[in-house]
DNA sequence: CAAACATATGAATATGTATTCAAGTATATG
DNA sequence: CATATACTTGAATACATATTCATATGTTTG
């Protein structure tokens, strides 16, 4: 009965919420846009080819989950990833994709 | 026009799919069950308090996405996480939660 | 204050998907 | 081959949520 699982049960819902937020292509693209440096809503919309309204809706969710931070500069609002763990999560998952792409044998 | 984003656009849908799979509490619990060592479907069902049918449905998705591997042992089928990157992803996200919990100032 | 720009929000809709239930497949055993 | 166990699968349903459109809020400037 080894309890190798280090994740407390109580954290599971919040964890799932965060993954769920990253599990939408539009939102993931938005996250990628503001992963390394602050970027305005309109620039995100342009880069992702999503409507400004939709980007704003998604940013609200990401901000509520503390995945991004907002900072107003004049008329614009700039968003940036809250911390580097978000980058790590994404890079780990990319590594997983590479590995599963290589290691397939069935 | 800095392209600090290292993730190729073509990988985004697959990335999102994987995160989406982890973004469901039932499925995340199932993943946690088989994160470190193989475990049978019925044991997963018992540990998670989910129906065997539901566990099986979820495992099918996880297997199709290569997040877990299946191995039959007699009448039972054991599932285990496909590689250690899945563990890393989860641990990074837990770190993010801790950090955002500490760093809040608003 | 009015006008222009940037962003946010609410309601409506369309689509996806988690869950359940019933039935099917696979494996061991007598 | 019949039975029991373990798992899988399909269809139905209930629920969530991504997207759009219209409108509102906030900000700078004249």
């Amino acid at each position: 009965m080894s309890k190798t699982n280090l994740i407390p049960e109580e954290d599971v819902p919040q964890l799932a919420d965060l993954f769920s937020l990253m599990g939408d292509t539009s939102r993931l693209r938005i996250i990628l846009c503001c992963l390394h440096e602050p970027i305005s809503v309109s620039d995100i919309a342009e880069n992702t080819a999503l409507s400004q309204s939709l980007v704003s809706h998604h940013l609200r969710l990401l901000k509520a989950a503390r995945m991004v931070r907002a900072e107003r500069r004049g008329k614009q609002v700039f968003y940036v990833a809250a911390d580097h763990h978000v980058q790590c999560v994404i890079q780990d998952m990319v590594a997983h994709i590479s590995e599963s792409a290589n290691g397939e044998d069935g």
Side-chain angles (χ1 to χ4, degrees), chain A residues 19-30:
Chain A
F19 285 128
S20 186
L21 283 173
M22 304 182 74
D24 175 78
T25 50
S26 298
R27 222 152 34 213
L28 186 52
R29 270 186 253 266
I30 291 172

Side-chain angles (χ1 to χ4, degrees), chain A residues 13-44:
Chain A
Q14 191 182 355
L15 261 181
D17 275 350
L18 291 168
F19 285 128
S20 186
L21 283 173
M22 304 182 74
D24 175 78
T25 50
S26 298
R27 222 152 34 213
L28 186 52
R29 270 186 253 266
I30 291 172
I31 293 172
L32 291 173
C33 277
C34 57
L35 199 54
H36 300 283
E37 36 197 26
I39 178 174
S40 72
V41 176
S42 47
D43 281 351
I44 294 174

Side-chain angles (χ1 to χ4, degrees), chain A residues 58-77:
Chain A
H58 283 313
L59 283 171
R60 184 159 54 103
L61 298 176
L62 293 171
K63 188 174 136 191
R66 296 177 193 278
M67 296 202 71
V68 301
R69 272 195 300 257
E71 177 195 350
R72 181 174 278 278
R73 297 182 195 171
K75 282 183 281 193
Q76 298 179 308
V77 178

